[in-house]
Amino acid sequence: MRAVVQRVSECALRIDGKIFSEIGVGLLVLLGVEQEDTLEDAEYLVGKISQMRIFSDEEGKMNRSVKDVNGEVLLVSQFTLHADTKKGNRPSFIKAARPEHAIPLYESAIVLFNEALEKQTKTGQFGADMKISLVNDGPVTIIMDSKSK
């Protein structure tokens, strides 16, 4: 399971031109599920992301988690994170999980974030054509893979 985590001061997700989800200070998490991923992968990534100290404290040091700053999470499924670009110019998505495997793990990640942050996680819509606008704060962008523990 892969995640691209962006610290944001604001973020909005639109579907068909209408705002579907939006957050203020927090994290935009793009989540890619691979065929071999399990609930353990989701638990690992959500645990790490929820506790990652990437928000500034009073001294300007990255020393606070999203929970510490009472931030929000916008979690968006993105199968393209598992693109294989080794051959040719067209990415292959053969490692990305099929919806019947990916959706339950994505939904588990939502529940895990809800529990970890003690608030409702905002989401995209699985399989929809989504437009995301954000202000990346820092910028801070971190790429994580549950297979790289």
Side-chain angles (χ1 to χ4, degrees):
M1 193 172 282
R2 290 187 181 146
V4 174
V5 180
Q6 296 185 60
R7 185 178 75 181
V8 299
S9 54
E10 61 185 68
C11 183
L13 182 144
R14 289 176 173 76
I15 299 174
D16 295 328
K18 298 176 184 169
I19 292 180
F20 184 82
S21 293
E22 60 185 335
I23 63 171
V25 171
L27 300 173
L28 168 62
V29 179
L30 305 174
L31 186 70
V33 179
E34 191 175 33
Q35 294 173 7
E36 298 172 10
D37 288 333
T38 65
L39 181 58
E40 184 178 313
D41 294 287
E43 291 170 339
Y44 170 77
L45 280 182
V46 171
K48 290 291 281 185
I49 293 167
S50 298
Q51 297 175 43
M52 199 169 10
R53 299 184 315 173
I54 58 173
F55 290 88
S56 299
D57 63 14
E58 299 82 21
E59 297 174 13
K61 295 181 182 176
M62 286 199 283
N63 206 22
R64 292 193 170 157
S65 70
V66 66
K67 186 172 181 179
D68 294 335
V69 299
N70 197 29
E72 299 177 278
V73 169
L74 174 53
L75 182 65
V76 179
S77 176
Q78 188 171 349
F79 76 94
T80 60
L81 292 179
H82 287 286
D84 182 349
T85 59
K86 290 179 186 170
K87 294 182 181 179
N89 293 320
R90 179 175 292 172
S92 169
F93 303 106
I94 199 158
K95 289 186 177 183
R98 305 278 310 149
E100 55 272 10
H101 181 68
I103 292 171
L105 287 176
Y106 172 68
E107 290 173 346
S108 293
I110 294 167
V111 171
L112 291 165
F113 269 120
N114 289 346
E115 292 169 355
L117 302 179
E118 299 175 349
K119 64 170 52 177
Q120 190 67 33
T121 301
K122 304 291 178 64
T123 66
Q125 184 176 32
F126 195 93
D129 181 19
M130 298 172 275
K131 310 295 182 207
I132 301 171
S133 58
L134 63 114
V135 177
N136 189 321
D137 181 18
V140 173
T141 301
I142 297 173
I143 300 170
M144 302 173 68
D145 193 315
S146 63
K147 305 299 189 248
S148 300
K149 295 179 189 173

